[in-house]
PDB file of all heavy atoms in Angstrom:
ATOM      1  N   ILE G  50    -148.101  30.906  48.240  1.00  0.00           N
ATOM      2  CA  ILE G  50    -147.845  30.678  49.768  1.00  0.00           C
ATOM      3  C   ILE G  50    -147.617  29.058  49.812  1.00  0.00           C
ATOM      4  O   ILE G  50    -146.612  28.800  50.420  1.00  0.00           O
ATOM      5  CB  ILE G  50    -148.972  31.205  50.604  1.00  0.00           C
ATOM      6  CG1 ILE G  50    -148.727  32.796  50.572  1.00  0.00           C
ATOM      7  CG2 ILE G  50    -148.788  30.614  52.000  1.00  0.00           C
ATOM      8  CD1 ILE G  50    -149.856  33.468  51.346  1.00  0.00           C
ATOM      9  N   PRO G  51    -148.596  28.282  49.242  1.00  0.00           N
ATOM     10  CA  PRO G  51    -148.287  26.823  49.486  1.00  0.00           C
ATOM     11  C   PRO G  51    -146.976  26.381  48.807  1.00  0.00           C
ATOM     12  O   PRO G  51    -146.203  25.571  49.318  1.00  0.00           O
ATOM     13  CB  PRO G  51    -149.442  26.261  48.792  1.00  0.00           C
ATOM     14  CG  PRO G  51    -150.527  27.229  48.759  1.00  0.00           C
ATOM     15  CD  PRO G  51    -149.838  28.496  48.650  1.00  0.00           C
ATOM     16  N   GLU G  52    -146.600  27.001  47.655  1.00  0.00           N
ATOM     17  CA  GLU G  52    -145.291  26.658  46.953  1.00  0.00           C
ATOM     18  C   GLU G  52    -144.110  27.068  47.971  1.00  0.00           C
ATOM     19  O   GLU G  52    -143.150  26.302  48.130  1.00  0.00           O
ATOM     20  CB  GLU G  52    -145.108  27.412  45.669  1.00  0.00           C
ATOM     21  CG  GLU G  52    -145.983  26.729  44.542  1.00  0.00           C
ATOM     22  CD  GLU G  52    -145.960  27.524  43.239  1.00  0.00           C
ATOM     23  OE1 GLU G  52    -145.504  28.684  43.263  1.00  0.00           O
ATOM     24  OE2 GLU G  52    -146.420  26.891  42.232  1.00  0.00           O
ATOM     25  N   PHE G  53    -144.222  28.244  48.459  1.00  0.00           N
ATOM     26  CA  PHE G  53    -143.168  28.616  49.475  1.00  0.00           C
ATOM     27  C   PHE G  53    -142.904  27.733  50.580  1.00  0.00           C
ATOM     28  O   PHE G  53    -141.831  27.264  50.747  1.00  0.00           O
ATOM     29  CB  PHE G  53    -143.486  30.070  50.035  1.00  0.00           C
ATOM     30  CG  PHE G  53    -142.563  30.433  51.180  1.00  0.00           C
ATOM     31  CD1 PHE G  53    -141.267  30.822  50.897  1.00  0.00           C
ATOM     32  CD2 PHE G  53    -142.977  30.261  52.519  1.00  0.00           C
ATOM     33  CE1 PHE G  53    -140.400  31.121  51.922  1.00  0.00           C
ATOM     34  CE2 PHE G  53    -142.156  30.494  53.505  1.00  0.00           C
ATOM     35  CZ  PHE G  53    -140.830  30.950  53.289  1.00  0.00           C
ATOM     36  N   TYR G  54    -143.982  27.272  51.203  1.00  0.00           N
ATOM     37  CA  TYR G  54    -143.824  26.261  52.309  1.00  0.00           C
ATOM     38  C   TYR G  54    -143.424  24.866  51.789  1.00  0.00           C
ATOM     39  O   TYR G  54    -142.660  24.248  52.410  1.00  0.00           O
ATOM     40  CB  TYR G  54    -145.243  26.036  53.051  1.00  0.00           C
ATOM     41  CG  TYR G  54    -145.379  27.258  53.945  1.00  0.00           C
ATOM     42  CD1 TYR G  54    -146.347  28.342  53.683  1.00  0.00           C
ATOM     43  CD2 TYR G  54    -144.608  27.533  55.121  1.00  0.00           C
ATOM     44  CE1 TYR G  54    -146.505  29.353  54.416  1.00  0.00           C
ATOM     45  CE2 TYR G  54    -144.815  28.561  55.975  1.00  0.00           C
ATOM     46  CZ  TYR G  54    -145.769  29.546  55.543  1.00  0.00           C
ATOM     47  OH  TYR G  54    -145.912  30.624  56.424  1.00  0.00           O
ATOM     48  N   GLN G  55    -143.758  24.505  50.505  1.00  0.00           N
ATOM     49  CA  GLN G  55    -143.320  23.236  49.927  1.00  0.00           C
ATOM     50  C   GLN G  55    -141.784  23.399  49.685  1.00  0.00           C
ATOM     51  O   GLN G  55    -141.072  22.544  49.980  1.00  0.00           O
ATOM     52  CB  GLN G  55    -143.968  22.966  48.687  1.00  0.00           C
ATOM     53  CG  GLN G  55    -145.449  22.483  48.829  1.00  0.00           C
ATOM     54  CD  GLN G  55    -146.188  22.462  47.553  1.00  0.00           C
ATOM     55  OE1 GLN G  55    -145.753  22.866  46.472  1.00  0.00           O
ATOM     56  NE2 GLN G  55    -147.364  21.870  47.681  1.00  0.00           N
ATOM     57  N   ILE G  56    -141.192  24.470  49.212  1.00  0.00           N
ATOM     58  CA  ILE G  56    -139.873  24.796  48.889  1.00  0.00           C
ATOM     59  C   ILE G  56    -139.147  24.710  50.155  1.00  0.00           C
ATOM     60  O   ILE G  56    -138.072  24.106  50.370  1.00  0.00           O
ATOM     61  CB  ILE G  56    -139.706  26.049  48.041  1.00  0.00           C
ATOM     62  CG1 ILE G  56    -140.281  25.898  46.719  1.00  0.00           C
ATOM     63  CG2 ILE G  56    -138.259  26.426  48.020  1.00  0.00           C
ATOM     64  CD1 ILE G  56    -140.427  27.226  45.907  1.00  0.00           C
ATOM     65  N   ALA G  57    -139.605  25.469  51.189  1.00  0.00           N
ATOM     66  CA  ALA G  57    -138.927  25.556  52.498  1.00  0.00           C
ATOM     67  C   ALA G  57    -138.839  24.098  53.104  1.00  0.00           C
ATOM     68  O   ALA G  57    -137.683  23.688  53.601  1.00  0.00           O
ATOM     69  CB  ALA G  57    -139.580  26.402  53.475  1.00  0.00           C
ATOM     70  N   GLN G  58    -139.892  23.339  53.088  1.00  0.00           N
ATOM     71  CA  GLN G  58    -139.839  21.915  53.631  1.00  0.00           C
ATOM     72  C   GLN G  58    -138.934  21.115  52.771  1.00  0.00           C
ATOM     73  O   GLN G  58    -138.125  20.272  53.371  1.00  0.00           O
ATOM     74  CB  GLN G  58    -141.249  21.343  53.466  1.00  0.00           C
ATOM     75  CG  GLN G  58    -141.264  19.937  54.073  1.00  0.00           C
ATOM     76  CD  GLN G  58    -142.671  19.406  54.042  1.00  0.00           C
ATOM     77  OE1 GLN G  58    -143.636  19.815  53.251  1.00  0.00           O
ATOM     78  NE2 GLN G  58    -142.930  18.402  54.947  1.00  0.00           N
ATOM     79  N   ALA G  59    -138.917  21.200  51.415  1.00  0.00           N
ATOM     80  CA  ALA G  59    -137.916  20.385  50.612  1.00  0.00           C
ATOM     81  C   ALA G  59    -136.445  20.825  50.880  1.00  0.00           C
ATOM     82  O   ALA G  59    -135.587  19.931  50.687  1.00  0.00           O
ATOM     83  CB  ALA G  59    -138.323  20.632  49.209  1.00  0.00           C
TER      84      ALA G  59
END
Side-chain angles (χ1 to χ4, degrees):
I50 291 172
E52 287 173 346
F53 167 77
Y54 284 106
Q55 289 170 349
I56 291 167
Q58 183 177 23

